[in-house]
Amino acid sequence: MTEQEAYLQLATLCAQAEHCEQEMRDKMKRWEIDETVQNRIIDRLVKERYIDNERYARAFVKDKIRYNKWGRRKVQQALWMKRIDNDIQQRVLDEIDDKEYLDVLRPLLKQKRKSTKAANDYELNQKLVRFALGRGFTFDIIRQCLEVDEEMDYGDETD
């Protein structure tokens, strides 16, 4: 594959969807393209704004939180694996609206609560915390959602 052919294929991919620099490098490695040629292609894609790691990170974070229901920690780990710079990660993760973040976790915990079997409330809460931690949510956010859920449950019983 020539340098121009590789560039055109990657530019087409980037025009169709957001991709980060690392994804394009991985693809070129699979195509067995020389590293100096890879660097030239990446530089050209970045210069022509086909690749923008910050724009990619914003789209990635929004999608993973809204659709995959991931927490900050899991999203941050995924960005790290895609070799997105720490300063970009931090900026993008700081832009997450706390209300939207809680709006993702609350229904997730409520749904999980219905399907989880436990001997008592303590065991149920432990299972819910483990579930949410596995999704990448932080303990303080989880506790905040569980406390609100319990208050709502007690309110429901008095009716």
Side-chain angles (χ1 to χ4, degrees), residues 40-55:
R40 282 199 306 266
I41 292 173
I42 291 292
D43 289 343
R44 187 172 170 193
L45 289 169
V46 168
K47 192 178 106 199
E48 295 175 5
R49 307 250 317 130
Y50 281 108
I51 295 176
D52 182 340
N53 280 343
E54 189 163 345
R55 186 179 64 211

Side-chain angles (χ1 to χ4, degrees), residues 25-36:
R25 285 190 187 281
D26 291 343
K27 197 165 281 297
M28 287 189 283
K29 273 185 194 145
R30 284 195 303 275
W31 295 341
E32 298 176 357
I33 294 177
D34 183 54
E35 200 167 322
T36 56

Side-chain angles (χ1 to χ4, degrees), residues 1-18:
M1 181 179 280
T2 67
E3 181 175 340
Q4 184 62 17
E5 289 172 338
Y7 166 76
L8 289 173
Q9 278 201 341
L10 294 176
T12 302
L13 279 172
C14 291
Q16 293 170 351
E18 288 293 342

Side-chain angles (χ1 to χ4, degrees), residues 111-118 123-124 127-128:
Q111 183 179 2
K112 186 68 176 174
R113 182 184 292 267
K114 290 177 187 172
S115 65
T116 303
K117 307 250 184 290
E123 186 181 326
L124 177 64
K127 288 181 177 186
L128 292 174

Side-chain angles (χ1 to χ4, degrees), residues 89-101:
Q89 286 182 32
Q90 211 49 55
R91 248 195 325 271
V92 171
L93 289 169
D94 287 344
E95 292 173 4
I96 298 171
D97 180 36
D98 285 339
K99 184 190 178 311
E100 180 184 351
Y101 195 58

Side-chain angles (χ1 to χ4, degrees), residues 99-152:
K99 184 190 178 311
E100 180 184 351
Y101 195 58
L102 290 170
D103 288 345
V104 166
L105 182 56
R106 276 193 189 108
L108 201 62
L109 287 174
K110 196 171 195 163
Q111 183 179 2
K112 186 68 176 174
R113 182 184 292 267
K114 290 177 187 172
S115 65
T116 303
K117 307 250 184 290
N120 54 44
D121 285 346
Y122 177 77
E123 186 181 326
L124 177 64
N125 280 339
Q126 292 300 310
K127 288 181 177 186
L128 292 174
V129 166
R130 274 197 305 276
F131 167 76
L133 286 172
R135 282 292 183 107
F137 291 93
T138 55
F139 188 72
D140 57 323
I141 298 286
I142 297 167
R143 196 175 67 228
Q144 190 177 339
C145 286
L146 287 176
E147 287 170 0
V148 168
D149 267 359
E150 286 174 358
E151 288 171 12
M152 292 173 118

